[in-house]
Amino acid sequence: MQGAQQLMKVFVTRRIPQEGMKILKQAGICNLSVWDSDEPVPRAELLKSVSGAHGLVCLLSDRIDAEVLDAAGPNLKVISTMSVGFDHLSMDEIKKRGIRIGYTPDVLTDATAELTVALLLATARRLPEGVQEVKSGGWSTWKPLWLCGYGLSGSTVGVIGLGRIGLAIARRLMPFGVKRLLYTGRGTKPGAKEVEGEFVPLDTLVSESDFIVVSCALTPDTQGMCNKAFFSKMKNTGVFINTSRGAVVNQEDLHEALSSGQIAAAGLDVTTPEPLPTDHPLLTLNNCVVLPHIGSATYATRGIMAELTANNLLAGLTGAAMPTELKL
Ligand code: NDP
Ligand code: DGY
């Protein structure tokens, strides 16, 4: 065991699964301080606690910008985020300071793809409405057109962002009898062959798809991409699903499209802000299913994400190769 003066200061912005904490503790090189709560660390506390840190473990709800980096000071070598998304990190500022970043790709792909399929089916087949009708006594008898929705068999599915998660979603949807799989992004993807994916411009995808699934990263290009013009090109029977980031969608435009009948339904695992206020207009609509950002939420996945986050951090502290480093 090294003396306290040789330990490197690490701040962890939240309680993380014990699998990750165990690795950090057993490494014996960290002087760990943890915001010991399931709720996000208050900004003032983050700025105070990060001071002098060599390593920072953070979550997607922590905005890591110049203010935090300045508060940390020149010791900071590594930021390890327990997420694959990194839109909460100010990349230019981090790069400028020569700080390395660890993140958690791949290990959450299956869980997130599975949740996306569940959300798509729940939205298209109106499961939350059905459950509510059973509980409230609205179920009077079997009726030919009551609670009818839309099926995947014979449909066209459009995936915006056929990356790791987008491809995993497509793989899971094809066996439902999908007829055409369209995708869009910055370029064609070799993996698309496996799902017979056709690379098309965004407008074609939007107007020809029965189901649109958004699984791209949030970037300046994708921010607000799903707006009034986007929804106006969708079919009236179209179902819109977003499990990427809330800011990809203009929620006022989505509300208008859903309430006017421009589109049939939407399922969102991600919103702006998070949590979505309980009086938000989207929550008044029967044709909008909103989940609390649970794409990767299986016990096993969160445990592995925490392990990877810890291993990335330790590698960053010791100058070793990280299992999954985000290349800047
Ligand atoms: P990848 O980097 O593998 O995929 C991201 C995809 O976004 C790439 O295919 C990329 O395409 C595409 N993309 C980038 N810019 C655009 C654009 N302008 N238009 C269309 N597509 C674009 O990441 P993952 O699949 O692992 O994760 C994707 C995102 O999912 C994460 O960034 C995160 O925000 C979100 N996520 C949400 C979860 C949840 O709990 N709901 C869980 C995990 C992730 P190209 O290669 O052509 O640039
Ligand atoms: C991520 O990792 O980016 C997700 O949003 C949460 O797992």
Side-chain angles (χ1 to χ4, degrees):
M1 183 72 178
Q2 302 181 33
Q5 69 282 9
Q6 291 165 295
L7 297 180
M8 284 182 271
K9 181 176 170 182
V10 172
F11 180 55
V12 182
T13 65
R14 195 85 62 89
R15 272 181 209 143
I16 60 168
Q18 50 86 22
E19 290 92 327
M21 287 310 292
K22 205 168 130 190
I23 291 172
L24 292 177
K25 285 179 187 155
Q26 283 178 352
I29 60 167
C30 308
N31 174 10
L32 276 175
S33 87
V34 180
W35 177 250
D36 191 18
S37 166
D38 292 327
E39 301 305 319
V41 59
R43 186 79 179 170
E45 194 64 42
L46 169 62
L47 295 174
K48 197 170 78 186
S49 304
V50 78
S51 171
H54 299 88
L56 175 64
V57 171
C58 68
L59 304 187
L60 58 90
S61 44
D62 304 312
R63 187 167 41 84
I64 307 300
D65 55 11
E67 190 185 24
V68 174
L69 301 172
D70 288 343
N75 283 350
L76 193 63
K77 288 172 187 291
V78 53
I79 297 169
S80 183
T81 182
M82 196 179 124
S83 63
V84 69
F86 49 87
D87 46 281
H88 55 300
L89 307 177
S90 296
M91 301 305 278
D92 291 347
E93 297 292 337
I94 294 173
K95 197 171 173 180
K96 217 160 68 185
R97 291 164 174 80
I99 298 166
R100 292 170 71 190
I101 302 177
Y103 73 141
T104 63
D106 299 314
V107 296
L108 44 53
T109 295
D110 287 349
T112 308
E114 219 170 79
L115 186 282
T116 306
V117 173
L119 176 59
L120 185 152
L121 291 171
T123 305
R125 297 298 303 273
R126 305 172 63 178
L127 301 194
E129 277 182 86
V131 170
Q132 188 49 37
E133 293 288 10
V134 173
K135 288 187 179 169
S136 67
W139 181 15
S140 57
T141 181
W142 190 94
K143 289 177 264 186
L145 286 177
W146 188 53
L147 285 177
C148 286
Y150 300 94
L152 278 164
S153 180
S155 71
T156 297
V157 170
V159 178
I160 300 182
L162 198 75
R164 290 171 291 249
I165 295 172
L167 183 60
I169 294 168
R171 273 195 206 110
R172 284 159 174 75
L173 291 179
M174 294 311 282
F176 282 92
V178 169
K179 196 163 145 205
R180 287 179 74 206
L181 192 291
L182 311 180
Y183 75 101
T184 192
R186 289 179 298 182
T188 56
K189 296 281 180 189
K193 280 197 200 82
E194 188 196 330
V195 290
E196 293 168 47
E198 300 167 41
F199 184 74
V200 293
L202 180 65
D203 280 1
T204 308
L205 181 145
V206 174
S207 59
E208 294 186 7
S209 297
D210 300 300
F211 298 89
I212 295 179
V213 179
V214 184
S215 55
C216 60
L218 173 61
T219 68
D221 286 345
T222 61
Q223 176 138 14
M225 173 177 62
C226 306
N227 57 13
K228 196 176 169 63
F230 178 104
F231 294 120
S232 71
K233 289 175 198 131
M234 276 181 69
K235 297 183 182 180
N236 297 146
T237 53
V239 174
F240 175 80
I241 304 296
N242 181 18
T243 52
S244 66
R245 285 290 183 265
V248 169
V249 176
N250 179 317
Q251 288 176 175
E252 277 177 24
D253 294 346
L254 175 61
H255 181 269
E256 174 60 26
L258 287 166
S259 51
S260 67
Q262 173 64 49
I263 71 171
L268 312 174
D269 183 44
V270 286
T271 59
T272 312
E274 292 184 2
L276 196 63
T278 52
D279 61 355
H280 194 280
L282 281 175
L283 298 180
T284 64
L285 302 176
N286 278 336
N287 57 350
C288 188
V289 178
V290 182
L291 299 179
H293 202 148
I294 53 170
S296 64
T298 71
Y299 291 111
T301 300
R302 290 285 166 83
I304 295 169
M305 286 168 71
E307 271 176 27
L308 186 52
T309 304
N311 285 323
N312 280 333
L313 184 96
L314 293 175
L317 288 178
T318 56
M322 283 188 199
T324 48
E325 177 160 5
L326 183 62
K327 297 292 175 210
L328 295 175

